[in-house]
Amino acid sequence: MQKDSYISVDKPSENTIVIQKSRFITTLLPIKDYDDALEKVKAISKKYSDATHNCYAFISNESATEQRFSDDGEPQGTAGIPMLEVLKKRKVYMTLAVVTRYFGGVKLGANGLVGAYSSSVSAALDMAEKASMIWAVSLNATVAYSISKKVEEIIKSQGGQIENISYDNEVEISAIAPCQIADGLVAKIVDVTQGRAKVEVFDEAYRKFLESKR
């Protein structure tokens, strides 16, 4: 059974937007698990202890069944849930979003708050460095120097990602490839190299495929 892919924030990031004089600072952090997320919430809340609110939402497992959110004093349902909905809709897991609000003197109303917190997380995600976490295999291809560049090109063009290349008597290319393309990729390598490549496939797991920063 093919497992669903998801997105994760690859590095900590911060983005600020201003709505009706209120400043909304969104901090996005990769997390290891539920407890790690709560510890990071505490750290961000301490960093911005003078803020009006530090609302948060996170999904802390790969199946998206472990979730938590907080309105931190905003009217119920106007901050944490809208933030969580953005993460769910965009399939951003293993990620913590904290939106820090400095009140600017203009009340936004319930609908305005929902829009502000949703927009804050969406804008921050657009700017963040992200990775696609895909159920994939690791593979090693051992090839002669004369055909190593061709094998590299095949792996990249078919949707794989090269992780390491080492040079000795032959070239060993370590890569990852989504499970659904793995068999076809191996066949392509064998075909193009006329059977001269030695290819090993192992370890199915979620693997990180880096995305370009938008």
Side-chain angles (χ1 to χ4, degrees):
M1 181 178 177
Q2 179 61 38
K3 296 199 177 186
D4 289 338
S5 61
Y6 65 92
I7 302 296
S8 179
V9 170
D10 191 49
K11 296 179 181 178
S13 67
E14 187 177 281
N15 189 65
T16 301
I17 63 175
V18 177
I19 300 174
Q20 294 292 312
K21 298 183 180 180
S22 281
R23 187 157 51 107
F24 294 84
I25 305 168
T26 301
T27 304
L28 297 175
L29 297 169
I31 54 176
K32 298 175 183 176
D33 53 33
Y34 189 89
D35 291 337
D36 183 42
L38 292 180
E39 285 300 313
K40 287 176 176 174
V41 167
K42 291 179 184 177
I44 297 299
S45 297
K46 183 177 180 180
K47 177 181 177 181
Y48 294 112
S49 60
D50 62 334
T52 317
H53 306 280
N54 285 291
C55 307
Y56 69 83
F58 63 80
I59 299 171
S60 53
N61 64 353
E62 294 171 331
S63 58
T65 57
E66 196 172 74
Q67 309 168 0
R68 184 162 171 170
F69 61 87
S70 170
D71 295 314
D72 192 38
E74 292 282 30
Q76 186 175 354
T78 61
I81 288 179
M83 292 167 62
L84 182 63
E85 286 302 314
V86 173
L87 297 180
K88 289 165 65 176
K89 183 176 180 180
R90 295 178 61 159
K91 297 185 73 174
V92 180
Y93 310 158
M94 306 302 292
T95 297
L96 164 68
V98 180
V99 178
T100 300
R101 183 189 183 191
Y102 286 89
F103 182 56
V106 179
K107 292 185 177 181
L108 301 181
N111 289 339
L113 287 171
V114 169
Y117 281 97
S118 298
S119 297
S120 297
V121 176
S122 291
L125 285 171
D126 288 342
M127 297 299 295
E129 292 187 31
K130 300 178 288 295
S132 292
M133 303 300 295
I134 299 173
W135 193 249
V137 296
S138 296
L139 64 86
N140 284 341
T142 305
V143 299
Y145 277 76
S146 60
I147 55 175
S148 63
K149 292 298 181 185
K150 185 178 290 186
V151 172
E152 288 179 46
E153 291 171 4
I154 291 169
I155 292 171
K156 293 175 183 177
S157 68
Q158 297 297 306
Q161 180 172 282
I162 293 173
E163 301 284 88
N164 185 61
I165 301 175
S166 58
Y167 301 91
D168 199 350
N169 294 330
E170 293 182 291
V171 180
E172 184 173 304
I173 303 169
S174 299
I176 53 177
C179 286
Q180 66 265 34
I181 70 161
D183 289 345
L185 175 57
V186 171
K188 183 80 170 176
I189 293 172
V190 171
D191 180 55
V192 170
T193 61
Q194 298 179 329
R196 290 179 290 165
K198 179 185 177 183
V199 185
E200 298 176 294
V201 177
F202 52 94
D203 291 346
E204 287 189 14
Y206 278 108
R207 306 290 183 189
K208 180 192 296 184
F209 287 75
L210 293 176
E211 295 188 342
S212 299
K213 185 178 179 181
R214 297 190 210 174

